[in-house]
Amino acid sequence: MERIIRLLAVAMLLNTSCTKEFLDKKPNKSLVVPSSLENFQAILDNSFNVFGVSPFMNQIADGDFYVTENGIPSLANLSRNIYLWQDDIYEGATSTDWNRMYEQVFYANIVLEGLEKIKGNPDQRYIDRLRGTALFCRAYAYYNLAQEFTPPYHAERAASDLGLPLRMSADVNSHPNRASLQDTYQLMIDDLQQAELLLPITVEPKTRPTKAAAWALLARITLSMADYETALHAADKALSFQNDLMDFNTLDTVAASPFPSGRSVYNKEIIYYTDRITNTFFNSANTRVVEDLYDLYDDNDLRKLIFFNNGRFKGSYGGSALFIFTGLATDELYLIRAECYARAGRTAEARDDLTQLMRTRWKKDRIYNVPTDLEDGEVLQMILSERRKELLTRGTRWSDLRRLNQEEMFKTTLKRNYQGVEYLLSPGDTRCVFPIAMDELELGGIEQNPR
């Protein structure tokens, strides 16, 4: 174990260079590929440096937070350019979001290839769990990449829209072209379907995936595809394994960190733990939740006190400003299932799911009920509003905007104002897809996103 830890430390050191794209600077694979199951587990458990993080650019761009006029000049160039939806966001720099997610793909492929070479090992269940974990992690990485670097999924265009370069091996000299968007999403689905068969029902810590995690991620992915029938089935399956909800009345509303703090301490709603890549945009004293979102929280809604302090967000399931939770949890599943029920005309079941969740968020001396006289569309609108409020900072808002902007009744134009100039991001704008950094274009020869 000491040997693999040292090798991984060297690999991590090499990975941190910003001068080239990650996959162009990998050490020789033979130096970092271990041969024992314990070594493969060590790679997959490297959740702090590799697998346990999700992108940050989408959360700067999604319109839920604003920076005061005086704070914008102090932002790093990348953050400011994302915030104002500029055409050139990198100004020659590399993309951390792209690099970190493909780093996850690389290590998942390392494990998958290494496991194929193990012969005669009696612990098949251990091998299966490792393979399932690697497949899950690869699907998660490709999902996060797709939300930022590919167009929103539309079934009629997916076969012709550009997807991602799908790296299916750990060969650093392989530079595949961009697959179709349809093939990109199909790979995620295929990986998760295999992973679900191999993963355990329970496992510790929650940086390791389970069957519930595989179904929960499939629900998130198929929701982003507007495949509501599959998303409903996946959310329902995930909840059959884990359906716990916290009563927010048991939390300290005035605490600086109302939820358990740290990556090794989890609340009972968490199914699979990841957090957002650290970025100074969110740590700035000038960053606040937008007023129109804050005003949506009823005074009887405990989230108004638990999530915010003077307009600053404090309510991460990670328990501190350093660990902003972006993983999978049961509250998201109730909202996915409720939305899918509403879209299928199963309004009573949609109301039940929403009520079950919201009664754990409401002050105990106030009864939360979904009005029974609402039309189906009004119930759906209510669910989507609660989804935005409940999943703040989870990384889902950007995906929701891209998905919902394809429906006339939910189209949203985002607006920023800076130095007397109004900046707009309209539905269907090409800037709803982030550009690929120039170093990756030069390395892989792949096609750039229109901007």
Side-chain angles (χ1 to χ4, degrees):
M1 284 300 293
E2 289 179 355
R3 183 174 67 88
I4 187 59
I5 289 171
R6 287 197 301 270
L7 292 173
L8 286 171
V10 172
M12 290 300 100
L13 180 63
L14 292 171
N15 295 348
T16 58
S17 170
C18 295
T19 58
K20 284 191 175 184
E21 196 271 336
F22 172 79
L23 295 177
D24 191 36
K25 57 185 185 303
K26 276 285 170 287
N28 184 299
K29 191 172 67 173
S30 65
L31 296 179
V32 297
V33 178
S35 58
S36 74
L37 299 186
E38 291 77 10
N39 293 164
F40 290 126
Q41 185 71 74
I43 290 177
L44 294 171
D45 280 344
N46 192 354
S47 61
F48 191 82
N49 290 312
V50 180
F51 291 109
V53 296
S54 297
F56 70 89
M57 295 197 303
N58 53 359
Q59 294 194 45
I60 296 177
D62 69 14
D64 278 350
F65 289 86
Y66 76 96
V67 180
T68 61
E69 184 89 4
N70 292 335
I72 294 177
S74 65
L75 293 175
N77 288 347
L78 176 64
S79 296
R80 184 171 60 253
N81 290 336
I82 297 169
Y83 180 76
L84 298 176
W85 308 303
Q86 297 296 290
D87 288 335
D88 180 11
I89 61 175
Y90 303 117
E91 297 184 13
T94 191
S95 171
T96 301
D97 281 3
W98 176 282
N99 293 346
R100 293 296 294 275
M101 295 308 102
Y102 270 110
E103 182 179 21
Q104 294 175 6
V105 171
F106 173 83
Y107 279 111
N109 285 334
I110 285 277
V111 172
L112 291 170
E113 291 181 4
L115 291 174
E116 290 296 325
K117 298 175 183 178
I118 292 180
K119 305 296 182 184
N121 192 295
D123 199 344
Q124 187 60 45
R125 284 192 301 177
Y126 194 5
I127 293 174
D128 288 346
R129 179 163 61 79
L130 292 172
R131 181 176 288 112
T133 298
L135 289 166
F136 173 91
C137 290
R138 187 168 70 180
Y140 206 160
Y142 277 132
Y143 165 77
N144 282 325
L145 285 162
Q147 303 320 294
E148 292 195 337
F149 298 105
T150 71
Y153 194 93
H154 190 288
E156 294 181 0
R157 299 191 299 265
S160 56
D161 280 347
L162 283 174
L164 296 166
L166 299 179
R167 303 183 187 276
M168 302 301 293
S169 77
D171 182 359
V172 298
N173 297 311
S174 173
H175 302 295
N177 293 323
R178 297 180 67 170
S180 71
L181 193 60
Q182 181 173 288
D183 288 346
T184 297
Y185 275 82
Q186 191 59 53
L187 174 62
M188 303 175 210
I189 293 170
D190 290 345
D191 277 357
L192 287 175
Q193 288 176 337
Q194 294 180 62
E196 192 277 334
L197 298 174
L198 301 170
L199 291 171
I201 294 176
T202 60
V203 69
E204 291 293 340
K206 290 187 178 181
T207 49
R208 294 179 179 179
T210 58
K211 289 183 182 295
W215 285 112
L217 181 55
L218 183 62
R220 186 184 280 189
I221 290 170
T222 51
L223 185 78
S224 73
M225 300 169 68
D227 181 358
Y228 299 113
E229 182 178 357
T230 303
L232 172 58
H233 173 70
D236 193 54
K237 288 289 291 185
L239 287 168
S240 73
F241 290 105
Q242 184 174 339
N243 60 10
D244 298 312
L245 290 172
M246 287 181 289
D247 183 354
F248 277 27
N249 286 280
T250 65
L251 301 177
D252 184 355
T253 60
V254 300
S257 300
F259 298 100
S261 181
R263 281 168 157 261
S264 60
V265 182
Y266 310 101
N267 69 60
K268 65 181 182 179
E269 291 188 8
I270 292 176
I271 296 172
Y272 178 74
Y273 188 91
T274 63
D275 52 46
R276 184 181 62 209
I277 294 171
T278 301
N279 184 271
T280 56
F281 173 88
F282 301 100
N283 297 330
S284 169
N286 297 303
T287 301
R288 298 281 191 275
V289 64
V290 294
E291 292 182 7
D292 71 313
L293 174 53
Y294 182 78
D295 290 342
L296 291 177
Y297 294 89
D298 190 278
D299 288 341
N300 294 314
D301 189 339
L302 289 167
R303 294 173 300 184
K304 195 169 189 176
L305 301 173
I306 289 170
F307 284 0
F308 305 107
N309 179 25
N310 295 323
R312 298 287 312 284
F313 180 75
K314 66 168 185 173
S316 170
Y317 278 9
S320 78
L322 297 177
F323 303 111
I324 302 300
F325 176 73
T326 56
L328 304 166
T330 55
D331 59 342
E332 180 182 356
L333 292 171
Y334 279 99
L335 289 164
I336 290 175
R337 192 169 69 177
E339 178 182 344
C340 295
Y341 276 146
R343 289 181 178 276
R346 299 166 66 176
T347 309
E349 292 157 295
R351 285 196 186 96
D352 288 345
D353 269 351
L354 184 58
T355 300
Q356 186 172 352
L357 171 65
M358 291 305 300
R359 285 185 176 175
T360 66
R361 273 50 178 164
W362 222 246
K363 292 180 180 178
K364 61 183 177 182
D365 58 345
R366 297 289 188 268
I367 301 298
Y368 178 90
N369 284 304
V370 179
T372 58
D373 59 346
L374 296 180
E375 300 290 337
D376 289 355
E378 293 174 310
V379 173
L380 177 57
Q381 187 71 262
M382 192 173 186
I383 293 167
L384 292 174
S385 177
E386 293 303 336
R387 179 176 170 83
R388 184 184 180 194
K389 289 186 284 181
E390 177 71 17
L391 304 181
L392 180 66
T393 75
R394 301 281 186 90
T396 57
R397 177 59 179 167
W398 183 250
S399 179
D400 285 348
L401 285 168
R402 287 158 37 101
R403 169 174 66 97
L404 296 172
N405 275 340
Q406 299 183 79
E407 300 181 56
E408 193 63 38
M409 68 180 297
F410 297 127
K411 286 185 175 180
T412 301
T413 296
L414 301 182
K415 298 179 182 181
R416 312 271 203 206
N417 288 284
Y418 178 51
Q419 294 183 338
V421 177
E422 184 177 62
Y423 296 84
L424 301 177
L425 187 68
S426 302
D429 195 303
T430 56
R431 292 171 298 166
C432 293
V433 185
F434 291 115
I436 299 170
M438 188 57 64
D439 59 344
E440 177 60 26
L441 296 176
E442 293 174 349
L443 173 69
I446 58 176
E447 187 174 343
Q448 177 63 285
N449 290 319
R451 198 70 170 164

